[in-house]
């Protein structure tokens, strides 16, 4: 009964933030599933870092700090960065990891240059960069929640519309190409959805931790099921769970930043899943191992008798 | 001021070279992102050591951070070994978690001690020369120069001593294992080196841009050479060029030095990526265009060769109808014919094409192949 009253008396701002974090967790968890299955877990890290120059240029060009304009700039830069990574990998012998590291850090560095340029002209506040790096979940307002809900909903809707095609792209790209699916276009579509999820999430958890929001829920979900449908659904749920619990935990004590707490909650979910998930989990593996050993022992014992 | 210019550039060059050398092996071993992970994940190590020593330049800080770096590598591999998580996901899980712990520690407990998040993440090279090493009343120069210089020497010694082992473990890990070179030991040695280098470079460029110094010059050099020794030397040179040009870019526009170095890293990589002979984008595009024409001309030669001396030869080699026989676009066909005439694959007899001796050889060779 006491718990319930706490829930009812949850203060309104906290509720808005929690709903926002839950929505973000759902969107990034569901879309992150594809990144993890394609072994592109760190693409999210690259996109989120590469977004910085986009934000700075959007601000320099328009002089406005309206979230939608900055988000658009971030999306374009993140998208260009991804395109550069893919073309470096396709055209040279430089491997995926090096291309990713190179683009991530140099785009970010360029963003930093632009940022100091803006700072020097004196019309940006110092908080801008910190917000980008670590997010500021506490500043999520009702209208942000609405933006997240609409854009995130659109992204998830597109994912559902192209469900079959994306599924084939993830599991058997060669076959998808051979039956005439436009794999390059689908690849770009999937990347764009990822960019959308990341750019939305920047406000809550920031660039450095965004990759965890894509990877952790998906890895956790992977342990419980072998079906894509269930995995996407579970990843969305885990993401939402991490978002809500992280927000609530960070609100219980002073000076616990929300973004990192959300990430740690997601990590805990992964830890539990890896340990206890049926069939795949470490505990089950151990039990199976011992049972096999015992069976083998009794079998050999019987043979030797 | 002049001394300041000189000091900063010297520190930048030493840092860049110290990062580029182990970076070569990371790029070749497909482990660049491990440096990204390490540079973020050492944050809790730095914070804890900072709480103990209350100083950002204590050697304990470097040791603690390097320890955390190796711990990160170990955790990533532990996760991977459960076979439940792939390598990229393992990296993507480990470093944000450790980094989060660091951020929470800072904001929870570091309120009354001075530890600037921006300094840790972004670094500020401009302040590096201000922290001077003083002994017996003499000014011996900036501390970070000594720190990075020592790390550079350490990296150089490690690479020179274990050059053969590193080379073998990088290009053929299983042969290295068979010959008893203990690739795991070399791997952890390299990772320790990367951790120490990353921590050392913190002061100067911060944790995100370290990756630019580690991955940038080796990736650029990788486009330029096939030899490991040359790649190492080229990486060091490119790293220095990036550092110096980045520094001047920064002082020209009065912007972040570390950011400017990362920007020149991207620019110089871009230049090499576009222009380098054989492997650059321009070279690739030209080669593909040339191959397209060569292939078309060979096809034409084969077509003529197949029908040569047969009753239908006259119909098959009429210039006006060629595009139908080869199912090509008419304009494209005309261009191919023009190229083929220029190269003397074929000769023209009124409305007909006939193979020359050279064209016949080409067709025969292509068919044999």
């Amino acid at each position: 009964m006491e718990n319930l009253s706490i829930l009812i008396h949850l203060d309104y701002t906290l509720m808005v933030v929690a709903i926002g974090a839950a929505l973000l967790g759902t969107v990034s968890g569901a879309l992150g599933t594809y990144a993890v299955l394609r072994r592109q877990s760190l693409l999210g890290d690259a996109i989120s870092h590469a977004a910085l120059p986009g934000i700075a240029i959007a601000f320099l060009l328009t002089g406005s700090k309206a979230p939608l304009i900055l988000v658009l700039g971030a999306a374009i830069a993140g998208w260009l960065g991804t395109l550069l990574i893919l073309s470096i990998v396709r055209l040279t012998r430089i491997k995926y990891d090096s291309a990713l590291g190179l683009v991530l850090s140099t785009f970010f560095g360029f963003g930093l240059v632009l940022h100091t340029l803006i700072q020097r002209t004196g019309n940006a506040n110092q908080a801008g960069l910190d917000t980008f790096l670590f997010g500021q979940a506490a500043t999520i307002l009702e209208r942000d929640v609405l933006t997240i809900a609409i854009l995130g909903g659109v992204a998830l809707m597109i994912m559902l519309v192209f469900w079959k095609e994306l599924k084939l792209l993830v599991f058997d790209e060669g076959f998808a190409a051979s039956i005439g699916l436009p794999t390059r276009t689908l690849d770009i579509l999937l990347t764009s959805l990822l960019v959308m999820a990341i750019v939305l999430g920047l406000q809550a958890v920031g660039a450095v931790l965004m990759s965890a929001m894509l990877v952790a829920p998906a890895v956790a979900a992977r342990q419980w099921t072998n079906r894509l449908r269930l995995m996407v659904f579970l990843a969305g749920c885990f993401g939402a769970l991490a978002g809500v619990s992280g927000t609530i935990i960070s609100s219980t004590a002073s000076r616990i930043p929300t973004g990192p707490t959300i990430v740690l909650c997601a990590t805990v979910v992964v830890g539990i899943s890896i340990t206890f998930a049926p069939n795949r989990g470490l505990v089950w593996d151990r039990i199976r191992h011992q049972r096999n050993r015992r069976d083998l022992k009794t079998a050999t014992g019987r043979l030797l008798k | 001021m002049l001394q300041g210019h000189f000091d900063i550039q010297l520190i930048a060059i030493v840092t860049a070279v110290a990062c580029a050398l182990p970076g070569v092996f990371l790029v070749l071993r497909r482990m660049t992102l491990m440096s990204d992970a390490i540079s973020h994940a050492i944050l809790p190590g730095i914070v804890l050591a900072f709480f103990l020593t209350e100083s950002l330049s204590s050697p304990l800080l470097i040791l603690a951070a390097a320890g955390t770096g190796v711990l990160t590598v170990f955790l990533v591999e532990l996760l991977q070994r459960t076979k439940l998580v792939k390598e990229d996901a393992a990296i993507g899980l480990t470093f944000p978690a450790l980094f989060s712990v660091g951020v929470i520690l800072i904001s929870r407990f570091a309120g009354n001690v001075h530890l600037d998040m921006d300094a840790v993440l972004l670094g500020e090279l401009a302040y590096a020369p201000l922290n001077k090493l003083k002994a017996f009343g003499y000014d011996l120069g900036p501390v970070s120069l000594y720190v990075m210089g020592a790390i550079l020497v350490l990296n150089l010694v490690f690479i020179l001593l274990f050059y053969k082992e590193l080379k073998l473990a990088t290009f053929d890990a299983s042969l290295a294992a068979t010959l008893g070179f203990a690739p795991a030991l070399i791997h952890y040695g390299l990772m320790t080196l990367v951790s120490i280098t990353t921590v050392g470079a913190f002061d100067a460029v911060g944790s995100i841009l370290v990756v630019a110094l580690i991955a940038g010059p080796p990736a650029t050099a990788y486009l330029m050479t096939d030899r490991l020794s040359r790649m190492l030397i080229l990486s060091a040179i490119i790293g220095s060029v990036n550092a110096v040009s980045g520094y001047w870019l920064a002082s020209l526009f009065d912007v972040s030095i570390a950011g400017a170095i990362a920007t020149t890293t991207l620019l110089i990589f871009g230049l090499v990526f576009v222009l380098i002979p054989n492997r650059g984008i321009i070279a690739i595009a030209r080669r593909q265009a040339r191959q397209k024409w060569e292939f078309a001309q060979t096809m034409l030669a084969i077509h003529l060769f197949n029908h040569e001396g047969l009753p239908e030869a006259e119909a098959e080699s009429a210039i006006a109808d060629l595009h139908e026989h080869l199912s090509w676009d008419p304009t494209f066909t005309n261009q191919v014919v023009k190229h083929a005439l220029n190269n003397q694959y074929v000769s023209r007899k009124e409305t007909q094409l006939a193979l020359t001796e050279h064209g016949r050889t080409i067709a025969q060779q292509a068919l044999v192949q």
Side-chain angles (χ1 to χ4, degrees):
Chain A
M1 216 38 221
E2 186 146 40
N3 280 337
L4 202 63
S5 72
I6 288 178
L7 278 180
I8 290 168
H9 289 115
L10 262 182
D11 100 68
Y12 179 71
T13 355
L14 179 63
M15 209 165 75
V16 171
V17 174
I19 292 175
L23 285 173
L24 282 173
T26 313
V27 175
S28 51
L31 290 171
T33 305
Y34 292 92
V36 168
L37 287 176
R38 301 187 76 196
R39 302 196 180 184
Q40 294 182 337
S41 301
L42 292 162
L43 192 60
D45 197 33
I47 294 174
S48 57
H49 282 80
L52 181 62
I55 295 175
I57 290 177
F59 177 73
L60 280 173
L61 287 181
T62 62
S64 122
K65 269 192 198 161
L68 210 60
I69 290 176
L70 298 187
V71 160
L72 195 69
I76 292 173
W79 199 73
L80 281 179
T82 318
L83 227 56
L84 183 59
I85 294 173
L86 294 179
S87 30
I88 290 175
V89 173
R90 203 162 49 85
L91 293 173
T92 73
R93 55 179 171 176
I94 295 175
K95 303 300 178 304
Y96 186 71
D97 64 305
S98 306
L100 207 139
L102 180 80
V103 168
L104 175 158
S105 54
T106 55
F107 267 53
F108 184 82
F110 181 53
L112 198 59
V113 165
L114 293 175
H115 183 81
T116 43
L117 212 61
I118 294 172
Q119 249 178 356
R120 203 156 47 84
T121 58
N123 55 23
N125 52 353
Q126 178 63 39
L129 196 60
D130 277 358
T131 314
F132 174 79
L133 286 172
F134 304 113
Q136 224 167 23
T139 63
I140 294 182
L141 301 173
E142 237 175 293
R143 99 172 158 218
D144 297 320
V145 173
L146 204 66
T147 317
I148 296 168
I150 293 173
L151 289 180
V154 169
L156 289 184
M157 207 74 93
I158 295 175
M159 176 193 88
L160 289 178
V161 168
F162 292 99
W163 179 266
K164 197 175 54 191
E165 286 81 359
L166 292 179
K167 188 175 182 178
L168 202 51
L169 182 75
V170 168
F171 291 112
D172 199 339
E173 198 174 333
F175 180 63
S178 75
I179 60 168
L181 285 179
T183 46
R184 286 276 282 282
T185 319
L186 284 173
D187 201 350
I188 291 175
L189 175 80
L190 196 55
T191 309
S192 311
L193 293 181
L194 217 55
V195 169
M196 219 150 132
I198 288 164
V199 169
L200 286 176
L202 282 181
Q203 195 191 2
V205 294
V208 182
L209 299 176
M210 193 54 219
S211 68
M213 285 311 289
L214 291 170
V215 178
V219 169
R222 176 69 189 91
Q223 312 310 324
W224 299 89
T225 175
N226 283 328
R227 300 193 65 87
L228 181 66
R229 206 178 316 166
L230 209 55
M231 185 174 164
V232 169
F233 176 74
L234 276 177
C237 293
F238 287 151
L241 180 71
V244 173
S245 51
T247 314
I248 292 177
I249 291 173
S250 77
S251 74
T252 55
S254 67
R255 297 215 302 231
I256 299 185
T258 315
T261 317
I262 295 178
V263 170
L264 284 186
C265 287
T267 312
V268 170
V269 175
V270 173
I272 294 173
S273 303
I274 285 184
T275 318
F276 297 111
N279 289 326
R280 270 176 73 101
L282 293 176
V283 171
W284 279 73
D285 198 49
R286 188 91 210 142
I287 292 173
R288 190 165 40 224
H289 188 71
Q290 298 216 321
R291 199 193 300 141
N292 286 346
R293 244 173 112 162
R294 203 189 48 220
D295 288 355
L296 199 64
K297 233 181 209 164
T298 45
T300 42
R302 218 176 293 140
L303 269 177
L304 291 174
K305 224 183 264 171
Chain B
M1 197 57 219
L2 264 179
Q3 183 63 35
H5 272 298
F6 181 75
D7 279 352
I8 294 176
Q9 285 180 69
L10 197 61
I11 295 171
I13 291 174
V14 171
T15 310
V17 176
C19 288
L21 292 179
V24 167
F25 294 98
L26 289 185
V27 167
L28 289 173
R29 295 165 73 107
R30 308 187 187 188
M31 287 169 42
T32 318
L33 292 171
M34 209 60 118
S35 73
D36 186 34
I38 290 176
S39 68
H40 284 89
I42 53 184
L43 186 63
I46 291 187
V47 174
L48 287 178
F50 178 73
F51 285 159
L52 287 178
T53 63
E54 307 218 331
S55 139
L56 257 181
S57 51
S58 143
L60 186 66
L61 225 62
I62 293 193
L63 283 181
T68 327
V70 177
L71 178 74
T72 313
V73 178
F74 178 72
L75 280 178
V76 169
E77 279 167 6
L78 198 69
L79 264 178
Q80 243 178 296
R81 227 173 295 143
T82 63
K83 298 208 176 82
L84 300 175
V85 183
K86 299 279 186 306
E87 186 190 7
D88 61 324
I91 294 177
L93 280 172
T94 310
F95 84 83
L98 286 169
F99 188 80
S100 297
V101 172
V103 175
I104 292 177
L105 279 178
I106 288 183
S107 48
R108 188 110 177 91
F109 303 111
N112 38 9
V113 277
H114 177 74
L115 181 60
D116 192 358
M117 267 317 281
D118 281 5
V120 173
L121 271 178
L122 310 172
E124 187 44 88
L125 204 51
Y127 300 145
L130 299 180
N131 188 2
K132 302 269 192 191
L133 185 68
K134 291 204 173 74
F136 312 115
Y138 290 102
D139 179 0
L140 295 174
V143 174
S144 45
L145 191 57
Y146 284 97
V147 174
M148 281 322 292
I151 292 173
L152 174 61
V153 170
L154 180 70
N155 285 349
L156 264 178
V157 168
F158 182 82
I159 290 173
L160 287 177
L161 270 184
F162 299 106
Y163 186 72
K164 189 177 58 194
E165 286 82 356
L166 276 168
K167 193 173 181 178
L168 195 58
T170 300
F171 292 109
D172 196 339
S174 27
L175 180 63
T178 326
L179 295 176
F181 276 119
L185 211 61
I186 292 171
H187 172 72
Y188 270 98
L190 190 63
M191 285 301 136
T192 313
L193 223 53
V194 171
S195 300
I196 294 173
T197 312
T198 312
V199 187
F202 247 136
D203 255 357
V205 294
S207 72
I208 297 172
L209 299 172
V210 165
V211 183
L213 293 186
I214 288 182
T220 316
Y222 196 23
L223 293 177
M224 299 166 82
T225 177
D226 286 328
R227 297 189 67 89
L228 179 61
S229 50
R230 269 189 218 142
M231 190 172 160
L232 281 164
I233 294 168
L234 271 175
S235 300
I237 295 172
I238 294 169
S240 315
V241 171
N242 290 343
V244 173
S245 53
Y247 174 75
W248 286 106
L249 187 76
S251 40
L252 200 63
F253 292 101
D254 190 17
V255 291
S256 148
I257 300 174
I261 293 177
T263 309
T264 51
T265 304
L266 181 64
L267 286 179
I268 287 178
F269 174 81
L271 273 181
V272 172
F273 180 39
V274 173
L275 294 177
I276 190 86
N278 292 326
R279 297 201 189 92
I281 294 184
I282 293 181
I284 293 172
R286 279 166 85 173
R287 186 164 55 231
Q288 278 174 352
R290 201 183 59 228
Q291 280 169 345
K292 181 179 129 191
W293 290 115
E294 265 173 18
F295 182 72
Q297 289 173 53
T298 314
M299 285 303 290
L300 177 68
I302 291 175
H303 171 76
L304 293 173
F305 180 73
N306 275 341
H307 301 290
E308 209 170 34
L310 294 172
E312 76 273 13
E314 197 173 320
E316 292 285 347
S317 51
I319 295 175
D321 300 335
L322 265 179
H323 65 271
E324 281 177 15
H325 298 303
L326 288 159
S327 357
W328 283 346
D329 177 71
T331 22
F332 177 70
T333 315
N334 282 338
Q335 281 169 317
V336 176
V337 169
K338 210 180 286 168
H339 277 288
L341 283 169
N342 280 340
N343 290 335
Q344 311 209 314
Y345 279 25
V346 293
S347 62
R348 193 181 185 139
K349 285 179 190 146
E350 289 160 22
T351 60
Q352 306 276 315
L353 279 185
L355 277 176
T356 59
E357 203 49 52
H358 178 51
R360 202 166 291 124
T361 341
I362 295 277
Q364 275 166 337
Q365 270 172 2
L367 283 174
V368 169
Q369 276 167 9

